[in-house]
Amino acid sequence: MDPLVSVIIPSYNHSQFVRQSIESVINQTYKNIELIVIDDASKDNSPDILRELQKQYGFFLVCREKNKGLSATLNEAINNYAHGEYIRCLASDDYWPETSVADLVNYVK
């Protein structure tokens, strides 16, 4: 069985980018992925977009009421929510080619 890869997307005020970021993970050729998205108290409409996408794709979503910063967000996701053998982070204003996770797993195996 392919190892589980936890992909963590920390999000803060990236409403114009976050959909493309999430969909680039959803559309990976490698399928044994758990997607964890944490919105760090965005002031734009990111939380609404994330809730819509979570309903559509079923990933794990946390929307914070108070901003804690990038390091705390990543640490929270890794320590409390990630279950994968491998962990990979993706900025909410970035995206991956469709073979990005497969390439990583093939490289580290």
Side-chain angles (χ1 to χ4, degrees), residues 19 22-23 26 35 37 46-63:
R19 179 179 302 275
I22 288 171
E23 289 180 346
I26 298 299
L35 176 57
V37 180
S46 293
D48 295 331
I49 293 168
L50 292 171
R51 286 185 193 98
E52 171 194 324
L53 291 169
Q54 193 273 335
K55 286 179 187 174
Q56 183 176 355
Y57 296 117
F59 55 84
F60 185 80
L61 174 62
V62 174
C63 290

Side-chain angles (χ1 to χ4, degrees), residues 10-64:
S11 178
Y12 181 71
N13 289 344
H14 279 153
S15 63
Q16 69 269 34
F17 306 113
V18 73
R19 179 179 302 275
Q20 183 177 18
S21 180
I22 288 171
E23 289 180 346
S24 80
V25 176
I26 298 299
N27 293 323
Q28 290 294 299
T29 58
Y30 188 89
K31 296 302 180 190
N32 197 17
I33 294 173
E34 73 171 348
L35 176 57
I36 301 159
V37 180
I38 300 183
D39 183 79
D40 198 17
S42 291
K43 294 175 180 23
D44 64 3
N45 67 332
S46 293
D48 295 331
I49 293 168
L50 292 171
R51 286 185 193 98
E52 171 194 324
L53 291 169
Q54 193 273 335
K55 286 179 187 174
Q56 183 176 355
Y57 296 117
F59 55 84
F60 185 80
L61 174 62
V62 174
C63 290
R64 288 196 183 135

Side-chain angles (χ1 to χ4, degrees), residues 60-107:
F60 185 80
L61 174 62
V62 174
C63 290
R64 288 196 183 135
E65 298 291 320
K66 183 176 179 184
N67 184 278
K68 294 184 180 179
L70 180 59
S71 296
T73 299
L74 290 174
N75 286 332
E76 178 183 336
I78 291 167
N79 293 327
N80 299 321
Y81 309 121
H83 300 98
E85 185 174 340
Y86 304 116
I87 295 174
R88 190 140 187 234
C89 300
L90 175 63
S92 58
D93 64 345
D94 203 355
Y95 62 93
W96 289 334
E98 66 183 14
T99 61
S100 182
V101 176
D103 293 343
L104 167 78
V105 172
N106 288 332
Y107 179 77

